[in-house]
């Protein structure tokens, strides 16, 4: 049962992935009944699915040739199973395809093949009937010839045999006419038999041509499937190229924004250097103020003011350094750019 389940699942996957055919309409076989009781109906459904894979796979020509070598009764059963499986295909899916779809043409070829097989069987049966009629006529002809020989022997003994006025002459004339009629009927049946045999040969030639066309359509179907796959790959590549181009444009804009941020950082560094120089100058003035004791009080007040300014400038420098670090980490965002511009304005 496990093996049958695996086979059934693989067959269903093959229909969906390789043949791109939805078989949800088909009543799947119950493998438990097949495994336990060998149920003929369920086993027939499983074999019908496998047969559908065989006549539509890459080696379909090989399997079709094997089917053609089977007995005619078996061929009819196989053709009926294939037609039943293909007729149950989703009609909307076939309606959306082009009229020149190779799978549609393969279906048409199978129908033509079935019709030719039916016609071939009818002609073969007709040939058998003609053979039986010819055999009966030959037996009748042989019997008439034997009777004619007997009558000829008797006629050699009778002088009045050729005289139509005599009973023997009339009988001879009737037998002669009947013999000629049977000979004409025999010739007509022989000609009809030859015509039917020629017609059978023509049908066999048409069958071979249809098989060749089936091979060509199969190769075209494979080529079409390969081209569809290649087209899907190219479409995916095109979509990826568009995405990459958009990413490149985004990175270009980010690089431009990064250049502006670098220029702003450089300007902040220059301002910081200026503030450092001012701080050094203020310290120098503080030392001079300590040397001049006469102006100690005024200098103290100035020093206090300068220390306050220095603290404010140091705090501002620290803030600017912190902001500069944040700009280095988040230079992409427009909000930080506005904050930096605000800081630059405050510094000025």
């Amino acid at each position: 049962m496990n093996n049958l389940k695996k086979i059934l699942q693989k067959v269903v996957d093959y229909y969906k992935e390789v043949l791109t055919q939805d078989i949800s309409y088909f009543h799947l076989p119950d493998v438990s009944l097949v495994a336990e009781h060998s149920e003929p109906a369920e086993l027939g459904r499983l074999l019908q699915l496998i047969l559908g894979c065989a006549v539509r796979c890459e080696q379909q020509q090989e399997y079709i040739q094997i089917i053609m070598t089977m007995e005619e009764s078996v061929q009819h059963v196989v053709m009926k199973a294939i037609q039943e499986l293909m007729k149950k295909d989703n009609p909307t899916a076939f309606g959306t395809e082009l009229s020149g779809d190779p799978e549609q043409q393969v279906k048409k070829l199978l129908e033509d093949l079935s019709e030719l097989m039916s016609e071939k069987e009818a002609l073969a049966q007709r040939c058998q009937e003609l053979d039986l009629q010819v055999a009966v006529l030959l037996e009748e002809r042989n019997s008439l010839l034997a009777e004619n020989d007997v009558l000829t022997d008797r006629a050699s003994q009778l002088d009045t045999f050729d005289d139509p006025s005599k009973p023997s002459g009339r009988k001879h004339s009737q037998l002669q006419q009947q013999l000629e009629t049977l000979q004409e009927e025999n010739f007509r049946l022989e000609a009809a038999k030859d015509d039917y045999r020629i017609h059978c040969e023509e049908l066999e030639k048409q069958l071979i041509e249809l098989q060749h066309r089936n091979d060509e359509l199969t190769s075209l179907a494979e080529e079409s499937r390969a081209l569809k796959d290649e087209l899907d790959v190219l479409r995916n590549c095109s979509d990826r190229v568009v995405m990459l181009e958009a990413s490149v444009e985004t990175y270009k804009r980010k690089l431009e924004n990064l250049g502006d941020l670098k220029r702003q950082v450089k300007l902040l560094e220059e301002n910081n250097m200026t503030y450092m120089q001012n701080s050094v100058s203020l310290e120098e003035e503080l030392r001079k103020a300590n040397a001049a004791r006469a102006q100690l009080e005024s200098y103290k007040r100035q020093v206090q003011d300068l220390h306050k300014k220095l603290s404010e400038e140091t705090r501002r420098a620290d803030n600017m350094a912190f902001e500069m670090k944040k700009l280095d980490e988040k230079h992409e965002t427009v909000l930080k750019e506005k904050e930096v511009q605000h800081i630059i304005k405050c510094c000025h």
Side-chain angles (χ1 to χ4, degrees):
M1 187 185 300
N2 291 331
N3 291 336
L4 291 175
K5 287 181 179 179
K6 292 178 181 178
I7 293 173
L8 179 60
Q9 185 61 41
K10 292 295 182 182
V11 170
V12 174
D13 294 340
Y14 186 83
Y15 271 97
K16 292 181 180 179
E17 298 174 2
V18 180
L19 301 180
T20 62
Q21 177 182 342
D22 184 13
I23 59 171
S24 58
Y25 60 86
F26 190 80
H27 180 64
L28 296 179
D30 189 352
V31 294
S32 61
L33 294 177
V34 177
E36 294 176 0
H37 307 293
S38 298
E39 182 66 26
E42 303 298 330
L43 183 60
R45 291 193 184 95
L46 179 60
L47 294 177
Q48 189 175 6
L49 289 175
I50 297 174
L51 182 61
C53 294
V55 298
R56 298 181 66 184
C57 67
E58 295 179 355
Q59 292 85 14
Q60 61 177 344
Q61 184 59 32
E62 179 181 352
Y63 296 122
I64 291 175
Q65 291 292 341
I66 294 175
I67 292 173
M68 295 302 297
T69 59
M70 296 179 180
E71 296 181 359
E72 292 186 359
S73 58
V74 179
Q75 291 183 23
H76 284 296
V77 173
V78 172
M79 289 299 176
K80 184 177 180 181
I82 295 173
Q83 290 177 353
E84 180 182 357
L85 185 62
M86 295 186 70
K87 286 179 181 177
K88 288 183 178 180
D89 286 344
N90 189 0
T92 58
F94 282 103
T96 56
E97 294 180 354
L98 297 176
S99 60
D101 193 347
E103 292 186 0
Q104 190 75 6
Q105 294 180 3
V106 169
K107 182 179 179 181
K108 182 63 170 59
L109 285 175
L110 287 175
E111 293 176 356
D112 294 340
L113 185 61
S114 178
E115 293 177 359
L116 289 174
M117 290 298 298
S118 301
E119 189 174 353
K120 179 182 177 182
E121 182 182 1
L123 291 174
Q125 185 176 0
R126 179 60 178 167
C127 287
Q128 291 179 357
E129 293 176 356
L130 291 174
D131 289 336
L132 292 175
Q133 291 180 5
V134 170
V136 171
L137 290 173
L138 287 175
E139 291 179 358
E140 189 175 355
R141 178 175 176 272
N142 292 329
S143 63
L144 290 173
L145 289 175
E147 187 177 356
N148 189 22
D149 293 336
V150 174
L151 293 174
T152 303
D153 293 337
R154 291 178 60 187
S156 62
Q157 299 176 359
L158 297 174
D159 296 335
T160 61
F161 186 77
D162 294 331
D163 189 0
S165 61
K166 300 296 183 179
S168 59
R170 288 194 298 268
K171 187 175 181 181
H172 179 267
S173 299
Q174 292 175 0
L175 292 175
Q176 189 70 28
Q177 291 176 358
Q178 188 177 2
L179 179 61
E180 292 175 357
T181 303
L182 291 174
Q183 287 177 350
E184 291 177 359
E185 182 69 17
N186 188 20
F187 292 152
R188 187 180 64 80
L189 292 175
E190 288 288 344
K193 180 180 178 182
D194 294 336
D195 292 338
Y196 280 117
R197 185 176 292 106
I198 293 172
H199 190 45
C200 287
E201 293 175 356
E202 292 178 355
L203 289 177
E204 290 177 356
K205 291 180 181 179
Q206 293 179 5
L207 181 61
I208 295 172
E209 291 178 357
L210 288 175
Q211 290 176 354
H212 290 320
R213 286 183 59 193
N214 189 16
D215 295 338
E216 294 176 357
L217 292 175
T218 301
S219 62
L220 288 175
E222 294 175 357
E223 185 178 356
S224 175
R225 191 177 295 110
L227 290 175
K228 286 181 181 178
D229 296 338
E230 186 176 356
L231 182 59
D232 293 337
V233 173
L234 291 176
R235 285 177 179 172
N236 293 331
C237 293
S238 177
D239 296 338
R240 188 176 179 185
V241 167
V242 173
M243 293 176 62
L244 291 175
E245 289 178 352
S247 300
V248 168
E249 294 296 330
T250 303
Y251 288 137
K252 285 182 179 179
R253 290 194 295 269
K254 288 183 179 179
L255 286 175
E256 293 175 357
N257 296 331
L258 181 62
D260 295 337
L261 291 175
K262 286 184 177 179
R263 286 193 294 272
Q264 293 175 7
V265 169
K266 186 177 181 181
L267 181 60
L268 290 174
E269 288 178 351
E270 292 176 355
N271 293 333
N272 190 20
M273 186 63 67
T274 303
Y275 293 147
M276 292 294 293
Q277 290 176 359
N278 292 333
S279 179
V280 172
S281 299
L282 290 173
E283 289 178 357
E284 184 67 24
E285 290 178 359
L286 183 60
R287 284 193 298 270
K288 290 180 180 180
N290 289 330
R293 294 181 179 274
Q295 298 179 353
L296 181 61
E297 293 297 329
S298 64
Y299 281 131
K300 284 183 180 180
R301 290 192 295 272
Q302 293 178 0
V303 166
Q304 290 177 358
D305 295 336
L306 291 173
H307 274 297
K308 288 180 181 180
K309 291 181 179 179
L310 180 61
S311 298
E312 291 177 0
E313 295 297 332
T314 303
R315 186 170 57 255
R316 289 179 181 178
D318 292 338
N319 290 332
M320 285 187 290
F322 179 73
E323 293 297 331
M324 181 178 65
K325 185 176 180 181
K326 289 176 67 177
L327 287 173
D328 289 334
E329 295 175 351
K330 302 180 180 180
H331 58 276
E332 301 89 8
T333 60
V334 179
L335 180 62
K336 294 302 179 181
E337 181 180 354
K338 291 182 179 181
E339 291 178 359
V340 172
Q341 290 178 356
H342 180 67
I343 293 173
I344 293 171
K345 289 180 181 180
C346 292
C347 292
H348 287 300

